[in-house]
mmCIF file of all heavy atoms in Angstrom:
data_model
loop_
_atom_site.group_PDB
_atom_site.id
_atom_site.type_symbol
_atom_site.label_atom_id
_atom_site.label_comp_id
_atom_site.label_asym_id
_atom_site.label_seq_id
_atom_site.Cartn_x
_atom_site.Cartn_y
_atom_site.Cartn_z
ATOM 1 N N ARG A 1 -29.660 8.761 -3.135
ATOM 2 C CA ARG A 1 -29.474 8.177 -1.776
ATOM 3 C C ARG A 1 -28.009 7.826 -1.529
ATOM 4 O O ARG A 1 -27.420 8.058 -0.472
ATOM 5 C CB ARG A 1 -30.348 6.926 -1.591
ATOM 6 C CG ARG A 1 -30.230 6.267 -0.323
ATOM 7 C CD ARG A 1 -30.796 7.054 0.761
ATOM 8 N NE ARG A 1 -30.526 6.483 2.073
ATOM 9 C CZ ARG A 1 -30.510 7.167 3.151
ATOM 10 N NH1 ARG A 1 -30.787 8.465 3.181
ATOM 11 N NH2 ARG A 1 -30.242 6.574 4.274
ATOM 12 N N GLU A 2 -27.349 7.317 -2.579
ATOM 13 C CA GLU A 2 -25.946 6.979 -2.464
ATOM 14 C C GLU A 2 -25.062 8.225 -2.219
ATOM 15 O O GLU A 2 -24.156 8.195 -1.412
ATOM 16 C CB GLU A 2 -25.511 6.245 -3.739
ATOM 17 C CG GLU A 2 -24.052 5.742 -3.661
ATOM 18 C CD GLU A 2 -23.697 4.999 -4.938
ATOM 19 O OE1 GLU A 2 -24.497 4.274 -5.459
ATOM 20 O OE2 GLU A 2 -22.480 5.163 -5.406
ATOM 21 N N GLU A 3 -25.428 9.290 -2.878
ATOM 22 C CA GLU A 3 -24.627 10.565 -2.691
ATOM 23 C C GLU A 3 -24.869 11.080 -1.246
ATOM 24 O O GLU A 3 -23.898 11.598 -0.634
ATOM 25 C CB GLU A 3 -25.117 11.624 -3.686
ATOM 26 C CG GLU A 3 -24.668 11.298 -5.094
ATOM 27 C CD GLU A 3 -25.215 12.245 -6.129
ATOM 28 O OE1 GLU A 3 -26.110 13.073 -5.760
ATOM 29 O OE2 GLU A 3 -24.869 12.182 -7.274
ATOM 30 N N LEU A 4 -26.059 10.980 -0.765
ATOM 31 C CA LEU A 4 -26.291 11.394 0.618
ATOM 32 C C LEU A 4 -25.582 10.518 1.627
ATOM 33 O O LEU A 4 -24.988 11.031 2.607
ATOM 34 C CB LEU A 4 -27.800 11.341 0.926
ATOM 35 C CG LEU A 4 -28.669 12.434 0.280
ATOM 36 C CD1 LEU A 4 -30.125 12.223 0.568
ATOM 37 C CD2 LEU A 4 -28.271 13.821 0.774
ATOM 38 N N ASP A 5 -25.476 9.242 1.354
ATOM 39 C CA ASP A 5 -24.744 8.329 2.232
ATOM 40 C C ASP A 5 -23.218 8.705 2.190
ATOM 41 O O ASP A 5 -22.561 8.750 3.241
ATOM 42 C CB ASP A 5 -24.916 6.880 1.814
ATOM 43 C CG ASP A 5 -26.269 6.364 2.085
ATOM 44 O OD1 ASP A 5 -27.027 6.984 2.925
ATOM 45 O OD2 ASP A 5 -26.707 5.323 1.519
ATOM 46 N N ASP A 6 -22.716 8.978 1.011
ATOM 47 C CA ASP A 6 -21.310 9.336 0.889
ATOM 48 C C ASP A 6 -21.018 10.655 1.614
ATOM 49 O O ASP A 6 -19.976 10.773 2.242
ATOM 50 C CB ASP A 6 -20.897 9.509 -0.597
ATOM 51 C CG ASP A 6 -20.833 8.154 -1.328
ATOM 52 O OD1 ASP A 6 -20.816 7.124 -0.661
ATOM 53 O OD2 ASP A 6 -20.844 8.158 -2.595
ATOM 54 N N LEU A 7 -21.936 11.588 1.484
ATOM 55 C CA LEU A 7 -21.749 12.893 2.181
ATOM 56 C C LEU A 7 -21.778 12.709 3.694
ATOM 57 O O LEU A 7 -20.960 13.278 4.390
ATOM 58 C CB LEU A 7 -22.867 13.864 1.779
ATOM 59 C CG LEU A 7 -22.773 15.270 2.401
ATOM 60 C CD1 LEU A 7 -21.501 15.998 2.105
ATOM 61 C CD2 LEU A 7 -23.982 16.067 1.971
ATOM 62 N N GLN A 8 -22.657 11.891 4.183
ATOM 63 C CA GLN A 8 -22.740 11.610 5.597
ATOM 64 C C GLN A 8 -21.472 10.946 6.116
ATOM 65 O O GLN A 8 -20.951 11.309 7.136
ATOM 66 C CB GLN A 8 -23.948 10.730 5.910
ATOM 67 C CG GLN A 8 -24.168 10.512 7.386
ATOM 68 C CD GLN A 8 -25.449 9.659 7.650
ATOM 69 O OE1 GLN A 8 -26.059 9.193 6.728
ATOM 70 N NE2 GLN A 8 -25.769 9.590 8.891
ATOM 71 N N ILE A 9 -20.943 9.946 5.346
ATOM 72 C CA ILE A 9 -19.725 9.310 5.727
ATOM 73 C C ILE A 9 -18.576 10.370 5.790
ATOM 74 O O ILE A 9 -17.778 10.408 6.722
ATOM 75 C CB ILE A 9 -19.364 8.164 4.780
ATOM 76 C CG1 ILE A 9 -20.368 7.011 5.055
ATOM 77 C CG2 ILE A 9 -17.937 7.692 5.017
ATOM 78 C CD1 ILE A 9 -20.296 5.932 3.933
ATOM 79 N N PHE A 10 -18.499 11.197 4.749
ATOM 80 C CA PHE A 10 -17.438 12.216 4.691
ATOM 81 C C PHE A 10 -17.495 13.159 5.886
ATOM 82 O O PHE A 10 -16.533 13.414 6.501
ATOM 83 C CB PHE A 10 -17.568 12.996 3.359
ATOM 84 C CG PHE A 10 -16.674 14.167 3.273
ATOM 85 C CD1 PHE A 10 -15.288 14.011 2.992
ATOM 86 C CD2 PHE A 10 -17.178 15.471 3.418
ATOM 87 C CE1 PHE A 10 -14.443 15.104 2.915
ATOM 88 C CE2 PHE A 10 -16.262 16.561 3.360
ATOM 89 C CZ PHE A 10 -14.945 16.314 3.068
ATOM 90 N N LEU A 11 -18.670 13.642 6.177
ATOM 91 C CA LEU A 11 -18.833 14.617 7.241
ATOM 92 C C LEU A 11 -18.580 13.951 8.622
ATOM 93 O O LEU A 11 -17.962 14.531 9.486
ATOM 94 C CB LEU A 11 -20.228 15.257 7.221
ATOM 95 C CG LEU A 11 -20.473 16.182 6.023
ATOM 96 C CD1 LEU A 11 -21.900 16.630 6.012
ATOM 97 C CD2 LEU A 11 -19.565 17.399 6.027
ATOM 98 N N SER A 12 -19.046 12.736 8.785
ATOM 99 C CA SER A 12 -18.819 12.112 10.085
ATOM 100 C C SER A 12 -17.348 11.781 10.268
ATOM 101 O O SER A 12 -16.845 11.833 11.426
ATOM 102 C CB SER A 12 -19.671 10.794 10.209
ATOM 103 O OG SER A 12 -19.231 9.852 9.280
ATOM 104 N N THR A 13 -16.622 11.402 9.216
ATOM 105 C CA THR A 13 -15.211 11.188 9.329
ATOM 106 C C THR A 13 -14.482 12.471 9.686
ATOM 107 O O THR A 13 -13.567 12.413 10.557
ATOM 108 C CB THR A 13 -14.634 10.610 7.981
ATOM 109 O OG1 THR A 13 -15.376 9.426 7.637
ATOM 110 C CG2 THR A 13 -13.183 10.328 8.119
ATOM 111 N N ARG A 14 -14.789 13.558 9.064
ATOM 112 C CA ARG A 14 -14.118 14.817 9.423
ATOM 113 C C ARG A 14 -14.402 15.252 10.805
ATOM 114 O O ARG A 14 -13.507 15.722 11.548
ATOM 115 C CB ARG A 14 -14.574 15.918 8.465
ATOM 116 C CG ARG A 14 -13.995 15.623 6.998
ATOM 117 C CD ARG A 14 -14.263 16.785 6.123
ATOM 118 N NE ARG A 14 -13.488 17.959 6.479
ATOM 119 C CZ ARG A 14 -12.382 18.396 5.918
ATOM 120 N NH1 ARG A 14 -11.935 17.753 4.928
ATOM 121 N NH2 ARG A 14 -11.801 19.474 6.301
ATOM 122 N N TRP A 15 -15.643 15.065 11.284
ATOM 123 C CA TRP A 15 -15.999 15.399 12.676
ATOM 124 C C TRP A 15 -15.196 14.456 13.635
ATOM 125 O O TRP A 15 -14.779 14.909 14.680
ATOM 126 C CB TRP A 15 -17.417 15.334 12.934
ATOM 127 C CG TRP A 15 -18.138 16.571 12.369
ATOM 128 C CD1 TRP A 15 -19.065 16.555 11.327
ATOM 129 C CD2 TRP A 15 -17.984 17.916 12.852
ATOM 130 N NE1 TRP A 15 -19.392 17.882 11.112
ATOM 131 C CE2 TRP A 15 -18.848 18.696 12.028
ATOM 132 C CE3 TRP A 15 -17.315 18.503 13.872
ATOM 133 C CZ2 TRP A 15 -18.923 20.077 12.190
ATOM 134 C CZ3 TRP A 15 -17.416 19.844 14.032
ATOM 135 C CH2 TRP A 15 -18.203 20.642 13.236
ATOM 136 N N ALA A 16 -15.087 13.230 13.287
ATOM 137 C CA ALA A 16 -14.337 12.270 14.147
ATOM 138 C C ALA A 16 -12.853 12.701 14.293
ATOM 139 O O ALA A 16 -12.285 12.658 15.355
ATOM 140 C CB ALA A 16 -14.435 10.859 13.582
ATOM 141 N N ILE A 17 -12.293 13.120 13.160
ATOM 142 C CA ILE A 17 -10.882 13.559 13.170
ATOM 143 C C ILE A 17 -10.790 14.802 14.045
ATOM 144 O O ILE A 17 -9.873 14.917 14.900
ATOM 145 C CB ILE A 17 -10.418 13.866 11.697
ATOM 146 C CG1 ILE A 17 -10.272 12.539 10.945
ATOM 147 C CG2 ILE A 17 -9.078 14.611 11.741
ATOM 148 C CD1 ILE A 17 -10.078 12.757 9.496
ATOM 149 N N LEU A 18 -11.643 15.757 13.917
ATOM 150 C CA LEU A 18 -11.616 16.955 14.749
ATOM 151 C C LEU A 18 -11.853 16.668 16.238
ATOM 152 O O LEU A 18 -11.132 17.180 17.070
ATOM 153 C CB LEU A 18 -12.692 17.980 14.317
ATOM 154 C CG LEU A 18 -12.388 18.660 12.984
ATOM 155 C CD1 LEU A 18 -13.532 19.504 12.543
ATOM 156 C CD2 LEU A 18 -11.158 19.566 13.129
ATOM 157 N N LEU A 19 -12.725 15.755 16.493
ATOM 158 C CA LEU A 19 -12.973 15.356 17.876
ATOM 159 C C LEU A 19 -11.734 14.685 18.488
ATOM 160 O O LEU A 19 -11.332 15.010 19.604
ATOM 161 C CB LEU A 19 -14.176 14.437 18.012
ATOM 162 C CG LEU A 19 -14.512 13.906 19.386
ATOM 163 C CD1 LEU A 19 -14.928 15.070 20.336
ATOM 164 C CD2 LEU A 19 -15.668 12.937 19.317
ATOM 165 N N ASN A 20 -11.101 13.808 17.732
ATOM 166 C CA ASN A 20 -9.893 13.109 18.205
ATOM 167 C C ASN A 20 -8.765 14.116 18.432
ATOM 168 O O ASN A 20 -8.007 14.001 19.404
ATOM 169 C CB ASN A 20 -9.458 12.057 17.228
ATOM 170 C CG ASN A 20 -10.398 10.860 17.281
ATOM 171 O OD1 ASN A 20 -11.127 10.666 18.247
ATOM 172 N ND2 ASN A 20 -10.439 10.073 16.208
ATOM 173 N N LEU A 21 -8.664 15.100 17.515
ATOM 174 C CA LEU A 21 -7.577 16.126 17.667
ATOM 175 C C LEU A 21 -7.885 16.940 18.908
ATOM 176 O O LEU A 21 -6.974 17.252 19.688
ATOM 177 C CB LEU A 21 -7.552 17.028 16.400
ATOM 178 C CG LEU A 21 -6.450 18.050 16.460
ATOM 179 C CD1 LEU A 21 -5.088 17.521 16.556
ATOM 180 C CD2 LEU A 21 -6.583 18.924 15.218
ATOM 181 N N HIS A 22 -9.134 17.279 19.135
ATOM 182 C CA HIS A 22 -9.543 18.063 20.305
ATOM 183 C C HIS A 22 -9.204 17.313 21.620
ATOM 184 O O HIS A 22 -8.634 17.874 22.547
ATOM 185 C CB HIS A 22 -11.026 18.408 20.239
ATOM 186 C CG HIS A 22 -11.517 19.265 21.259
ATOM 187 N ND1 HIS A 22 -11.203 20.589 21.307
ATOM 188 C CD2 HIS A 22 -12.326 19.068 22.335
ATOM 189 C CE1 HIS A 22 -11.771 21.184 22.341
ATOM 190 N NE2 HIS A 22 -12.437 20.275 22.991
ATOM 191 N N VAL A 23 -9.490 16.052 21.634
ATOM 192 C CA VAL A 23 -9.225 15.228 22.851
ATOM 193 C C VAL A 23 -7.729 15.128 23.009
ATOM 194 O O VAL A 23 -7.246 15.271 24.149
ATOM 195 C CB VAL A 23 -9.840 13.776 22.613
ATOM 196 C CG1 VAL A 23 -9.335 12.844 23.671
ATOM 197 C CG2 VAL A 23 -11.342 13.880 22.694
ATOM 198 N N GLU A 24 -6.960 14.918 21.945
ATOM 199 C CA GLU A 24 -5.489 14.804 22.073
ATOM 200 C C GLU A 24 -4.872 16.051 22.565
ATOM 201 O O GLU A 24 -3.948 16.081 23.368
ATOM 202 C CB GLU A 24 -4.936 14.384 20.702
ATOM 203 C CG GLU A 24 -3.476 14.115 20.734
ATOM 204 C CD GLU A 24 -3.142 12.793 21.411
ATOM 205 O OE1 GLU A 24 -4.017 11.949 21.540
ATOM 206 O OE2 GLU A 24 -1.996 12.618 21.796
ATOM 207 N N MET A 25 -5.391 17.222 22.088
ATOM 208 C CA MET A 25 -4.861 18.513 22.499
ATOM 209 C C MET A 25 -5.054 18.754 24.025
ATOM 210 O O MET A 25 -4.216 19.325 24.703
ATOM 211 C CB MET A 25 -5.470 19.641 21.734
ATOM 212 C CG MET A 25 -4.901 19.713 20.272
ATOM 213 S SD MET A 25 -5.731 20.913 19.252
ATOM 214 C CE MET A 25 -5.453 22.441 20.124
ATOM 215 N N PHE A 26 -6.143 18.258 24.606
ATOM 216 C CA PHE A 26 -6.411 18.405 25.991
ATOM 217 C C PHE A 26 -5.624 17.387 26.823
ATOM 218 O O PHE A 26 -5.316 17.612 27.988
ATOM 219 C CB PHE A 26 -7.873 18.364 26.350
ATOM 220 C CG PHE A 26 -8.586 19.668 26.111
ATOM 221 C CD1 PHE A 26 -9.393 19.782 24.943
ATOM 222 C CD2 PHE A 26 -8.403 20.739 26.933
ATOM 223 C CE1 PHE A 26 -10.033 20.955 24.699
ATOM 224 C CE2 PHE A 26 -9.058 21.901 26.690
ATOM 225 C CZ PHE A 26 -9.850 22.068 25.582
ATOM 226 N N ARG A 27 -5.233 16.279 26.161
ATOM 227 C CA ARG A 27 -4.467 15.241 26.851
ATOM 228 C C ARG A 27 -2.998 15.676 27.066
ATOM 229 O O ARG A 27 -2.437 15.369 28.099
ATOM 230 C CB ARG A 27 -4.496 13.942 26.068
ATOM 231 C CG ARG A 27 -3.862 12.748 26.747
ATOM 232 C CD ARG A 27 -3.831 11.534 25.879
ATOM 233 N NE ARG A 27 -2.946 11.685 24.738
ATOM 234 C CZ ARG A 27 -1.611 11.617 24.826
ATOM 235 N NH1 ARG A 27 -0.997 11.339 25.957
ATOM 236 N NH2 ARG A 27 -0.871 11.762 23.750
ATOM 237 N N VAL A 28 -2.458 16.370 26.115
ATOM 238 C CA VAL A 28 -1.032 16.750 26.203
ATOM 239 C C VAL A 28 -0.893 18.018 27.068
ATOM 240 O O VAL A 28 -1.866 18.724 27.241
ATOM 241 C CB VAL A 28 -0.426 16.986 24.831
ATOM 242 C CG1 VAL A 28 -0.419 15.691 24.030
ATOM 243 C CG2 VAL A 28 -1.126 18.036 24.043
ATOM 244 N N ASN A 29 0.345 18.280 27.512
ATOM 245 C CA ASN A 29 0.553 19.309 28.451
ATOM 246 C C ASN A 29 0.885 20.672 27.886
ATOM 247 O O ASN A 29 0.438 21.723 28.397
ATOM 248 C CB ASN A 29 1.695 18.922 29.413
ATOM 249 C CG ASN A 29 1.329 17.736 30.230
ATOM 250 O OD1 ASN A 29 0.160 17.500 30.480
ATOM 251 N ND2 ASN A 29 2.337 16.963 30.647
ATOM 252 N N ASN A 30 1.646 20.726 26.807
ATOM 253 C CA ASN A 30 2.136 22.056 26.339
ATOM 254 C C ASN A 30 2.220 22.076 24.812
ATOM 255 O O ASN A 30 1.943 21.071 24.137
ATOM 256 C CB ASN A 30 3.484 22.402 27.007
ATOM 257 C CG ASN A 30 4.516 21.327 26.751
ATOM 258 O OD1 ASN A 30 4.447 20.604 25.774
ATOM 259 N ND2 ASN A 30 5.484 21.238 27.661
ATOM 260 N N VAL A 31 2.617 23.211 24.319
ATOM 261 C CA VAL A 31 2.663 23.417 22.856
ATOM 262 C C VAL A 31 3.617 22.475 22.234
ATOM 263 O O VAL A 31 3.360 21.980 21.096
ATOM 264 C CB VAL A 31 3.080 24.893 22.592
ATOM 265 C CG1 VAL A 31 3.290 25.125 21.077
ATOM 266 C CG2 VAL A 31 2.016 25.823 23.135
ATOM 267 N N GLU A 32 4.787 22.236 22.829
ATOM 268 C CA GLU A 32 5.767 21.325 22.203
ATOM 269 C C GLU A 32 5.187 19.934 22.014
ATOM 270 O O GLU A 32 5.442 19.278 21.044
ATOM 271 C CB GLU A 32 7.075 21.252 23.087
ATOM 272 C CG GLU A 32 7.890 22.497 23.079
ATOM 273 C CD GLU A 32 7.319 23.615 23.936
ATOM 274 O OE1 GLU A 32 6.509 23.371 24.882
ATOM 275 O OE2 GLU A 32 7.705 24.768 23.706
ATOM 276 N N ASP A 33 4.456 19.452 23.029
ATOM 277 C CA ASP A 33 3.807 18.166 22.869
ATOM 278 C C ASP A 33 2.783 18.125 21.750
ATOM 279 O O ASP A 33 2.692 17.154 21.024
ATOM 280 C CB ASP A 33 3.115 17.749 24.197
ATOM 281 C CG ASP A 33 4.076 17.445 25.323
ATOM 282 O OD1 ASP A 33 5.292 17.170 24.976
ATOM 283 O OD2 ASP A 33 3.647 17.547 26.486
ATOM 284 N N ILE A 34 2.041 19.185 21.604
ATOM 285 C CA ILE A 34 1.059 19.304 20.531
ATOM 286 C C ILE A 34 1.750 19.284 19.163
ATOM 287 O O ILE A 34 1.344 18.592 18.210
ATOM 288 C CB ILE A 34 0.172 20.570 20.669
ATOM 289 C CG1 ILE A 34 -0.717 20.402 21.898
ATOM 290 C CG2 ILE A 34 -0.673 20.754 19.393
ATOM 291 C CD1 ILE A 34 -1.460 21.665 22.272
ATOM 292 N N LEU A 35 2.855 20.017 19.066
ATOM 293 C CA LEU A 35 3.639 20.018 17.827
ATOM 294 C C LEU A 35 4.163 18.640 17.521
ATOM 295 O O LEU A 35 4.133 18.182 16.354
ATOM 296 C CB LEU A 35 4.809 21.009 17.893
ATOM 297 C CG LEU A 35 4.412 22.476 17.890
ATOM 298 C CD1 LEU A 35 5.644 23.358 18.244
ATOM 299 C CD2 LEU A 35 3.802 22.871 16.596
ATOM 300 N N GLN A 36 4.604 17.906 18.504
ATOM 301 C CA GLN A 36 5.110 16.560 18.297
ATOM 302 C C GLN A 36 4.000 15.622 17.835
ATOM 303 O O GLN A 36 4.233 14.786 16.924
ATOM 304 C CB GLN A 36 5.823 16.022 19.579
ATOM 305 C CG GLN A 36 7.132 16.627 19.843
ATOM 306 C CD GLN A 36 7.897 15.984 20.997
ATOM 307 O OE1 GLN A 36 7.425 14.905 21.503
ATOM 308 N NE2 GLN A 36 8.938 16.580 21.430
ATOM 309 N N VAL A 37 2.833 15.771 18.408
ATOM 310 C CA VAL A 37 1.693 14.936 18.003
ATOM 311 C C VAL A 37 1.395 15.249 16.530
ATOM 312 O O VAL A 37 1.115 14.298 15.741
ATOM 313 C CB VAL A 37 0.469 15.196 18.899
ATOM 314 C CG1 VAL A 37 -0.782 14.599 18.279
ATOM 315 C CG2 VAL A 37 0.690 14.669 20.293
ATOM 316 N N LEU A 38 1.404 16.473 16.142
ATOM 317 C CA LEU A 38 1.121 16.883 14.747
ATOM 318 C C LEU A 38 2.145 16.345 13.803
ATOM 319 O O LEU A 38 1.886 15.906 12.694
ATOM 320 C CB LEU A 38 0.958 18.377 14.638
ATOM 321 C CG LEU A 38 -0.295 18.980 15.256
ATOM 322 C CD1 LEU A 38 -0.233 20.503 15.247
ATOM 323 C CD2 LEU A 38 -1.574 18.496 14.603
ATOM 324 N N ILE A 39 3.451 16.401 14.267
ATOM 325 C CA ILE A 39 4.527 15.904 13.418
ATOM 326 C C ILE A 39 4.438 14.361 13.201
ATOM 327 O O ILE A 39 4.542 13.871 12.111
ATOM 328 C CB ILE A 39 5.946 16.248 14.029
ATOM 329 C CG1 ILE A 39 6.130 17.733 13.924
ATOM 330 C CG2 ILE A 39 7.064 15.448 13.370
ATOM 331 C CD1 ILE A 39 7.311 18.208 14.706
ATOM 332 N N VAL A 40 4.120 13.670 14.291
ATOM 333 C CA VAL A 40 3.967 12.206 14.172
ATOM 334 C C VAL A 40 2.797 11.870 13.248
ATOM 335 O O VAL A 40 2.856 10.995 12.384
ATOM 336 C CB VAL A 40 3.727 11.599 15.558
ATOM 337 C CG1 VAL A 40 3.269 10.152 15.477
ATOM 338 C CG2 VAL A 40 5.007 11.703 16.370
#
């Protein structure tokens, strides 16, 4: 059960990161802004 909980936390964290990156990419205007966000 503990391993399943750890796996669920790991997967939900990765999906949250991807979702936040997706939202941020649509918020910014151009490639240079996206590069700056990635650098920061």
